[in-house]
Amino acid sequence: MLLYFVGQVLPYIAGAIFLIGVIYRVAGWLKVPVPFQLTLFPAPTSGAGRIAAVGTEVLLFKSLYNNDKNLWLWAWLLHVSLAMVILGHIVGIYFLMNQFTLIGLSASASQTVSAFLGTVFGLTLLISLIVLFYRRLVNPEVKQLSDPADYIDLLFILVIAITGNHMRLPGVEVDLPAVKAYLGSLLAFGPAPIPDSGVFIAHFVTVMLFMIYFPFSKMLHFAGFLVNRAMLVEAAPVYPTPAGTPLRSSFAGARAPVADSGQAKGVQA
Amino acid sequence: MKIPLHMAKEKDLQAAGLRAVPEEEKQQALVKGIDQYRQWARSLMVMLETCTKCGACANACHSYLGTGDFNNIPAARADLFRKLYKRYFTWTGKTIGRYIGAEDYDAETLAKWVTYFYQCNECRRCAVYCPFGIDTAEITIAARSIMTALGVVPRFMTGVAANMIKTGNNMGIPKPATIDCCEFMEDEMKEETGLDIKIPVDKPDSDILYIPSSADFFSNVDTMIGVAKFFHAIGANWTIPSTVLEAANFGLLFSMDAMKEQNQRMREAAKMVGAKLVVQGECGHGWRAAKMYTEGANGPAPFGLVHILDYAYQNMDKLKFEKLPWRVTLHDPCNYARAGDIIEQPRELLKACVSEFVEMTPNRERNFCCGGGSGILMDEMMDIRMQLGKKKAEQVKELLPLDFFATPCSICKAQLPHVMKFYGMEDLKMGGVMDVVGKAIVLA
């Protein structure tokens, strides 16, 4: 009964809360206008430049690199290893660790490389989480800034990383084809019973709980990052205002505190 | 309240067209103010909800570095706002508030807000260093604007607002005084150059409307003279408006409605003289307000808009200079470098005008604020202002001896002489970039 709930009901509850929650919060930001350009100079002036500017922030954490190389190292390692781990889950499980045969490796070589990369990134994630948790405790400014949730967030991911890495320990066997078949059944909305493996269930359940926690937490910083950066690289206003430029918000039209000179007439929001 | 700021009283508020919310209604009004603002500007919500408290902003902020006060760390400053925001507008804040750092409104709330949102210079340096680009200036602008609507605002700001309503400038200069002052400057220039260089006031059918800083009519006369010589050299058909003798826009620093109103004055002045181009004088936040907020606050504008330093730079091939034998450095006003896209132009002008131009470190968009930014120019705040200016003083000290310290913003010009004196550099000559242009320019 409990296994039925955990294996065949909880994943849908978690998935729904995760998706709806994230969309609800991000949509809540996006429906609010940006009444003024918040361009931070020097700013890119072309579309490609804007993509490049945000792209280097996303991929390399450029601002943080320029500011604090120590924090950058661990934060960057954490996020890169996390991204690699997520990617590794998708391809490693789908191809049953044979994904590197696609680039010419033999099946056994592919499985060795897959296991090696999984271990490297899994351990990198674990170590960078511990370092950042330690930093939060010992850096006096960061310690004073931190809320309980800031520690819990790190611990939560730490538990996921530990239970995940646990499955890689020598002597711990997880039936990968069974996991693949199970996850496939969930995605096909015809849930099969969860594989009967304690270490897998522990990892799977913490991930499900984290997905439920996610939209209520500041894990949403990944989306805030993009929405924020998009505002900072917006093109600066051009004067005279080109014909046909829409009003940015109702503030520009209706609520004039002094009599309007008529220049904005006819474009009331 | 931990800072000696003089707050506006009932009559000060009235003179500025504001009113005080009764004490017992303040909590409700503050929560309502936050609610309105968060539905008005996306930046507030996103920036409040994205911070991960990594602490990368601490050493980027001159206010924290100068005062050593924890709450002057940008993330901590924003947290004073964030705690309330979480408590009243997030589901987790309402239920498990302590866990995520939410806090109820209490008797200390507004005192803390005044104390720390008036030690933020809105310089945007933290936005350059924050991995998310969180701009604490956005939080400060919101907090100050919300407090002003409650009648919680420094008397300095309402004084400026009242002068603005009365005369169209921060200093309260009436039109006859403006004309007198222009005649005085014209006489000075006649004596110096033998030429009839005019500073036209309200001249109809002018191509260019020049908006000076009102301080250029008191303490920074050399800036205005430099501008007049420049316009003379390029043969411009220009005028200054008596109705808005003010590039500054303190509205941006305490009330978004007042900001909008001031930009509107600029538009009307441009329309009155038929100007196709508005040129803004040396004022940092005023430039930001004009360039970045006119479209958003006042709708499409029919005129061109350019900063005097950009305009002078664009016209450099028409100008002749005789280099001054000076060693000069440049302070990048925050609202030029980070918020106004005026970065290389003053450097090019200075390099053309003086024999030796040296950069301070850091510079451009990484430069530190003078410590007076966002209108923290109150006399009663002098001790704190000196702490806010500490990083700037250290930067300048490394470059001594200097013949001139170019600070092309009226707030910097008001703040930095005090800072330099306080840190033992009282002999340093300071002024705008247009002052230097005016001294180096060769007029035919």
Side-chain angles (χ1 to χ4, degrees), chain A residues 38 136 141 147 213 241 251, chain B residues 52-53 64 99 124 260 301:
Chain A
L38 299 178
R136 222 173 251 291
E141 285 138 349
D147 302 317
Y213 176 73
T241 312
F251 186 64
Chain B
T52 58
K53 314 278 180 72
Y64 175 59
Y99 166 72
R124 308 189 82 196
K260 176 171 176 147

Side-chain angles (χ1 to χ4, degrees), chain A residues 176-211:
Chain A
L176 199 58
V179 168
K180 179 183 172 179
Y182 166 67
L183 295 176
S185 75
L186 288 181
L187 289 173
F189 294 100
I194 192 165
D196 188 16
S197 157
V199 283
F200 172 73
I201 293 173
H203 183 60
F204 187 77
V205 169
T206 44
V207 172
M208 288 304 112
L209 294 178
F210 189 70
M211 281 170 71

Side-chain angles (χ1 to χ4, degrees), chain A residues 135-222:
Chain A
R135 176 180 179 272
R136 222 173 251 291
L137 286 174
V138 296
N139 181 316
E141 285 138 349
V142 181
K143 187 179 179 185
Q144 204 175 341
L145 279 170
S146 298
D147 302 317
D150 295 308
Y151 299 101
I152 301 295
D153 290 357
L154 283 171
L155 288 177
F156 215 143
I157 309 171
L158 199 60
V159 170
I160 293 173
I162 290 170
T163 55
N165 283 316
H166 185 192
M167 286 185 276
R168 297 194 169 279
L169 289 181
V172 179
E173 280 300 320
V174 175
D175 183 353
L176 199 58
V179 168
K180 179 183 172 179
Y182 166 67
L183 295 176
S185 75
L186 288 181
L187 289 173
F189 294 100
I194 192 165
D196 188 16
S197 157
V199 283
F200 172 73
I201 293 173
H203 183 60
F204 187 77
V205 169
T206 44
V207 172
M208 288 304 112
L209 294 178
F210 189 70
M211 281 170 71
I212 294 169
Y213 176 73
F214 194 99
F216 301 100
S217 72
K218 65 174 68 172
M219 286 301 130
L220 230 71
H221 70 272
F222 89 94

Side-chain angles (χ1 to χ4, degrees), chain A residues 25 29-30 32-33 38-39 41 67 135-136 141 147 149 152 213 228-229 237 239 241 251-252 259 261 263, chain B residues 42 47 49 52-54 56 64 99 124 129-133 260-261 267-268 271 291 295-296 301 338:
Chain A
R25 268 186 71 184
W29 299 336
L30 295 182
V32 178
L38 299 178
T39 324
F41 299 99
N67 181 0
R135 176 180 179 272
R136 222 173 251 291
E141 285 138 349
D147 302 317
I152 301 295
Y213 176 73
N228 215 3
R229 289 273 165 206
Y239 301 102
T241 312
F251 186 64
S261 56
Q263 284 152 342
Chain B
R42 182 183 302 167
M47 289 176 184
E49 294 186 26
T52 58
K53 314 278 180 72
C54 74
Y64 175 59
Y99 166 72
R124 308 189 82 196
Y129 288 95
C130 171
F132 305 99
K260 176 171 176 147
E261 203 170 327
R267 294 173 73 108
E268 278 156 21
K271 199 175 182 215
K291 177 185 170 75
E295 184 195 325
R338 284 180 286 269

